[in-house]
Amino acid sequence: MSDPQPQRPGGPVMARPMVVAIDGPAGAGKSTVTRRLAARLGMLFLDTGAMYRAATVGLLRSGADRDDPAAVAAYVCARRIGFGADGQVQLDGERLGDELIRAPATVPEIWRVADNPACRAHLVAQQQAIVAGRDAVIEGRDATTVIAPDAQLKVYLDASPEERARRRLAEWPAGSPPPALAEVAAQIRARDEKDMARAVGALRLADDAVHLLSDGRSADGVVALLVAHAVQRNPFLLERRVADQLTVGRSRAKGYVRVAQGDVTGDGGMWQLGLTNPTPERMPGGVADLTRNRGGRQAGVLVQGRAVLVLAGRGDAPGEVAALPILPQTWYVIEPGAWHAVIQDHGTICAWAESSGISEERHPLDQAQQAQLRAFLEVYLPG
Ligand code: C5P
């Protein structure tokens, strides 16, 4: 579990940690997507399912009477379950590998822990202690409802039983004959019912969760949507990711036209950032262009009063497209040489920074970058 917390250029802003809670049924693609999301946002990743699995491995080894809920609770509630530096789950400090926690002998027994209210309370307390005071992505069945009911972003990641059955069959091990799609879909429905019928910590769609159906979307496409939702809740997340190329400050002018100016290049090349009505010949490219601006030029679009600033990253994420809503009274300065994607809709207003001696190179956005951009626009500018 890595937990980098880069410094914000203007100093710390968000005192409250950012928590993204993601629930959803088995096989909806949660674990791949949540792991990638946490890595993208540089946040701690908490796999709560691994904790239920680890408790079950220990229970089966312990010799405790697994048919006696009180004995199960007595065993599990005396355990300390956490994660090592390698991200692998640990039971009382002992690393348990995937070959144990995902073993065919373990999986059918997990319900003994997961359906036991005392065990759940004990695990939830440990989960809350792990994420306390930290930015985290929590994945589970009760992350949005019990573990982190005040998470800034709650997501219910769903997929139809048929889609989940298709995904499972696509990964079916060679050598064993795959069952029929309908049979796998029926098993998945039965498992959903079990997760949803649990007396405590049942899987359910929280009222304020984003319900995201992943049918027909790639894992990267889902991650892109989640990044967009997370950044929409907390724009400083993105600011941190591009902290090496972005300086954020306050505009003193209300209803500004020119919001900032200065010498960003350090060599006397003046720039200014403002809002204006662009003329078509002044505006670079469409959504499929990535424009490299050497002179310190920035663009965004304001559509129906909602502003989007689109950036493509450098550093550890070269060419990764990101976008954020432009905050009122806030200005953004992009270091020259950074990569910006520029999007323009008919009739929109553009904000940009200009300097003398702008030189510009055009590059087509690749498929992944275009998909990323579409995801941001889908979240920020629905319809
Ligand atoms: O997510 P994963 O498949 O690893 O979860 C393993 C088991 O633990 C599932 O059967 C699920 O019902 C249970 N679980 C739970 N509450 C959580 C996470 C997982 O009951 N927060």
Side-chain angles (χ1 to χ4, degrees), residues 56-111:
T56 306
V57 170
L59 174 71
L60 299 181
R61 278 183 185 167
S62 71
D65 180 0
R66 66 180 90 162
D67 291 322
D68 174 5
V72 171
Y75 170 78
V76 171
C77 294
R79 304 279 77 77
R80 189 170 38 85
I81 302 178
F83 294 85
D86 62 353
Q88 199 64 33
V89 69
Q90 295 185 346
L91 180 71
D92 289 335
E94 180 198 346
R95 182 184 190 280
L96 299 183
D98 277 357
E99 71 288 354
L100 283 171
I101 64 168
R102 301 190 188 281
T106 307
V107 177
E109 301 290 326
I110 301 175
W111 67 270

Side-chain angles (χ1 to χ4, degrees), residues 170-319:
E171 291 169 4
W172 202 261
S176 61
L181 184 84
E183 190 185 323
V184 180
Q187 285 167 3
I188 286 172
R189 280 200 180 85
R191 195 163 158 191
D192 285 357
E193 277 162 23
K194 199 161 163 42
D195 271 348
M196 291 171 182
R198 181 169 291 138
V200 180
L203 172 66
R204 71 174 175 84
L205 173 62
D207 292 343
D208 50 354
V210 175
H211 190 176
L212 215 164
L213 201 65
S214 69
D215 288 38
R217 292 185 190 273
S218 66
D220 280 338
V222 175
V223 172
L225 282 179
L226 293 175
V227 170
H229 280 290
V231 170
Q232 192 179 42
R233 301 294 190 291
N234 182 352
F236 294 108
L237 275 180
L238 189 70
E239 187 193 317
R240 281 209 302 256
R241 281 205 54 79
V242 294
D244 67 327
Q245 49 187 269
L246 195 66
T247 310
V248 178
R250 289 296 197 199
S251 162
R252 275 174 218 96
K254 225 177 158 193
Y256 50 78
V257 174
R258 191 178 69 200
V259 290
Q261 64 177 25
D263 172 10
V264 86
T265 58
D267 60 7
M270 291 298 290
W271 56 271
Q272 65 181 38
L273 169 61
L275 297 176
T276 184
N277 282 309
T279 56
E281 64 279 8
R282 292 189 68 187
M283 290 308 304
V287 75
D289 275 333
L290 184 68
T291 307
R292 186 177 192 185
N293 297 301
R294 293 187 186 281
R297 179 168 172 164
Q298 166 206 6
V301 282
L302 288 171
V303 180
Q304 294 162 5
R306 287 168 296 181
V308 181
L309 170 66
V310 182
L311 310 167
R314 301 180 311 159
D316 64 342

